[in-house]
Amino acid sequence: MKTATAAAAPQQAPAPAPRPGLRERKKQRTRDALLRAALELFITRGYEQTTVDDIARAVGVSQRTFFRYFPGKEEVAFAMQDMVEAHFMTSLRARPADEPPLEALRRAVLDCWDSVREAVASIAPLELYLRMFRTIESTPVLLATHLRRSMEKEEHIAAVLAEREGLDVDADPRPRLVVAAFGGVLRVTGRLWSTGEDLTLEGLRALTVRYLDQVGTALAGSWRTPDPPDRAGAPAGRADA
Amino acid sequence: MKTATAAAAPQQAPAPAPRPGLRERKKQRTRDALLRAALELFITRGYEQTTVDDIARAVGVSQRTFFRYFPGKEEVAFAMQDMVEAHFMTSLRARPADEPPLEALRRAVLDCWDSVREAVASIAPLELYLRMFRTIESTPVLLATHLRRSMEKEEHIAAVLAEREGLDVDADPRPRLVVAAFGGVLRVTGRLWSTGEDLTLEGLRALTVRYLDQVGTALAGSWRTPDPPDRAGAPAGRADA
DNA sequence: AGGCTAATGTCAGTCGCTGACATGAGACAA
DNA sequence: TTGTCTCATGTCAGCGACTGACATTAGCCT
């Protein structure tokens, strides 16, 4: 029962007073159990085929209790995504201020992919995250929500970029424009990866590098060359410039 | 079955047999009434504040009947969007084959905006469309669905572009990449327009022109100039190249 | 130990949506 | 016209995601 571990707040608990509190631990355990059970069910049985009652029953609590821990069924599905996105924002802010915006974005994503494993480890193994990602991409209603969340995130990113460059997001559209274009490419990357057969993190990273490198040439004039022959980690030229 | 079901479809009815059919007309009228009533309610009262029962009651039919005409509450909200998107695809296909991909996309959107009024007129006045667009952008669940639909549409567009250039969409990522980047910019445009105070079609068109012209410079290196001073229809330089 | 509060369970109700069944209003032939 | 025949509609029952209200219970504090 003791098991210590204390805080371990999964989300963003400001933890004003480090009170292990016997009661708190129980809540934390329940939340974790619900989260884990839900993800497991979503991945194996499918999101739509999983009812909230199923999740609650798997943990041994009432449906009402589930809704006291999560605002809705969807939120559980995005719990890990939340962490990774927060992690990305940290990576982005850590970029040196002299990097051009697009380059900063590029590096931040790659850094992020390189350290997702550790970022997610507190909740579940990396594989669970990757599988859930695929589930999201293949479940229409989740995909829709995912896109809206991405859009909101992009707004946030644009703000960071604008600050880096000392611009006003509302006066200069460029931050939002780059982020939107960049986000679009990432979306394609994620989609292609999730429908492919290589479900490893390395595969995703390689695809990201490849597509980010190609977007520059893709935007230019007309395409007459067959398909730029490069594959993996070749640090080829970046977007136009 | 007889009657060939034929007509019914208000959207793209090839109308194989011009049979007025007394019964058919009634169905058509009901569908129109439901659509109009729904849009009216969504716009005035808000999407979430409008129940399907409200819509059905406003038309004088049962809730069950509503669901016999529309697969769900959301579909009604996107009925006009469907028409406009189909219209865009037509515009795109009408573009001369020698235009570079990005330019074709650009012209297609602008052509589309120039003729939306006529395209939508068969269902409702333009204003209703614009207002519904804003409602979609400001209603989280609708926005999410809208983004997913856009993504699906982009897949379609990428296919058209690939065909224009004689490429294989699955072998060459460039079609999907340009479309994604382009779509991202349009998304920003739509969002900015819908949150601004100028809800005219002209305003939307102007914004589109402006942002499409800026995305090229925005992607390049770092931004040190304050905010490229151009405004409306200036046919400025395209994306880099 | 006893009281206070917070976590949980139970119940009822709303809303989107669906299958099943009965009925009535058009289409069509005799 | 009459009589089928079918197709649109209404009614009813039920599921699943939620939510508010109330009762119960378990941790916390003195």
Side-chain angles (χ1 to χ4, degrees):
Chain A
M1 290 302 209
K2 297 281 202 69
T3 67
T5 67
Q11 314 178 253
Q12 75 302 30
R19 302 175 49 189
L22 205 155
R23 207 188 203 142
E24 295 302 315
R25 268 185 288 145
K26 213 169 175 181
K27 282 212 308 180
Q28 197 56 45
R29 259 193 301 132
T30 306
R31 207 197 118 96
D32 280 9
L34 282 170
L35 183 51
R36 253 183 264 269
L39 293 177
E40 199 63 46
L41 287 170
F42 289 166
I43 288 173
T44 59
R45 193 185 311 179
Y47 178 78
E48 322 240 47
Q49 284 64 49
T50 305
T51 75
V52 175
D53 281 307
D54 289 337
I55 305 170
R57 209 174 312 118
V59 178
V61 297
S62 72
Q63 191 212 50
R64 197 65 180 83
T65 293
F66 172 90
F67 286 111
R68 287 205 177 91
Y69 280 95
F70 299 95
K73 193 182 164 189
E74 287 198 339
E75 273 72 9
V76 199
F78 291 104
M80 283 197 285
Q81 206 68 29
D82 276 338
M83 303 178 65
V84 174
E85 282 167 12
H87 194 246
F88 168 81
M89 292 308 291
T90 307
S91 296
L92 179 61
R93 278 190 239 267
R95 291 278 94 207
D98 62 316
E99 266 177 356
L102 202 59
E103 178 66 10
L105 286 174
R106 180 196 148 100
R107 301 269 192 191
V109 210
L110 296 181
D111 282 2
C112 185
W113 286 145
D114 287 336
S115 54
V116 201
R117 180 170 268 110
E118 294 74 40
V120 174
S122 65
I123 291 294
L126 177 67
E127 200 206 342
L128 206 70
Y129 169 70
L130 296 179
R131 305 251 262 177
M132 192 60 222
F133 188 86
R134 283 169 81 100
T135 304
I136 289 174
E137 289 270 351
S138 62
T139 307
V141 49
L142 288 184
L143 178 55
T145 299
H146 174 64
L147 293 173
R148 179 172 48 76
R149 287 169 43 102
S150 299
M151 186 176 173
E152 287 157 6
K153 180 63 59 177
E154 282 178 21
E155 182 66 21
H156 195 182
I157 297 173
V160 172
L161 243 53
E163 199 194 341
R164 275 172 62 99
E165 304 286 318
L167 299 176
D168 177 5
V169 224
D170 293 313
D172 193 325
R174 288 177 300 177
R176 286 202 178 96
L177 289 176
V178 217
V179 173
F182 183 83
V185 175
L186 284 199
R187 233 177 49 218
V188 173
T189 307
R191 178 134 197 81
L192 265 286
W193 173 80
S194 77
T195 58
E197 65 290 323
D198 174 10
L199 52 75
T200 68
L201 182 58
E202 291 70 33
L204 178 54
R205 207 200 113 106
L207 256 191
T208 309
V209 170
R210 182 149 158 240
Y211 284 5
L212 281 180
D213 285 345
Q214 283 200 323
V215 69
T217 80
L219 282 171
S222 64
W223 319 314
R224 287 313 174 201
T225 53
D227 180 5
D230 67 334
R231 266 191 54 94
R238 230 151 31 274
D240 63 276
Chain B
M1 309 312 187
K2 295 221 308 247
T3 69
T5 64
Q11 317 174 238
Q12 76 299 38
R19 302 182 50 187
L22 204 156
R23 207 184 201 146
E24 296 302 315
R25 268 185 288 145
K26 212 167 176 182
K27 283 211 309 183
Q28 196 56 45
R29 260 192 300 132
T30 307
R31 207 197 120 97
D32 280 9
L34 282 170
L35 183 50
R36 253 183 264 270
L39 293 176
E40 198 62 47
L41 286 169
F42 290 165
I43 290 173
T44 58
R45 194 186 309 179
Y47 178 78
E48 322 240 45
Q49 284 63 52
T50 304
T51 75
V52 175
D53 281 308
D54 289 336
I55 304 171
R57 210 175 310 120
V59 178
V61 296
S62 72
Q63 190 213 49
R64 196 65 180 82
T65 293
F66 172 91
F67 285 110
R68 288 206 176 91
Y69 281 95
F70 299 95
K73 192 182 165 190
E74 285 198 341
E75 273 72 8
V76 199
F78 290 104
M80 285 198 282
Q81 205 69 31
D82 277 336
M83 305 179 62
V84 175
E85 281 167 13
H87 193 247
F88 168 81
M89 291 308 291
T90 307
S91 297
L92 179 60
R93 279 188 238 267
R95 290 278 96 208
D98 63 317
E99 268 177 356
L102 202 59
E103 178 65 9
L105 286 174
R106 180 198 148 99
R107 302 272 191 187
V109 213
L110 296 181
D111 283 2
C112 187
W113 285 145
D114 287 336
S115 54
V116 200
R117 180 171 269 110
E118 294 74 41
V120 174
S122 65
I123 291 294
L126 177 68
E127 200 206 345
L128 206 70
Y129 168 72
L130 297 179
R131 304 250 260 179
M132 191 61 223
F133 188 86
R134 291 179 136 228
T135 304
I136 290 173
E137 289 270 351
S138 62
T139 307
V141 51
L142 287 186
L143 178 55
T145 298
H146 178 242
L147 293 172
R148 179 171 49 76
R149 287 167 44 101
S150 300
M151 187 175 171
E152 288 157 6
K153 179 65 59 178
E154 282 177 20
E155 182 65 21
H156 195 183
I157 297 174
V160 172
L161 244 52
E163 199 195 341
R164 276 171 61 98
E165 304 286 319
L167 299 175
D168 178 4
V169 224
D170 293 313
D172 193 325
R174 288 177 300 177
R176 286 202 178 95
L177 289 176
V178 215
V179 174
F182 183 82
V185 175
L186 284 201
R187 232 177 49 220
V188 173
T189 307
R191 178 137 196 77
L192 266 285
W193 173 79
S194 76
T195 57
E197 65 290 322
D198 175 9
L199 52 74
T200 69
L201 182 59
E202 293 68 33
L204 178 53
R205 208 201 112 105
L207 254 191
T208 308
V209 170
R210 183 150 159 238
Y211 283 6
L212 282 180
D213 286 344
Q214 284 200 325
V215 69
T217 79
L219 283 170
S222 64
W223 319 314
R224 287 314 174 200
T225 53
D227 181 2
D230 68 334
R231 265 191 54 93
R238 234 153 27 273
D240 66 277

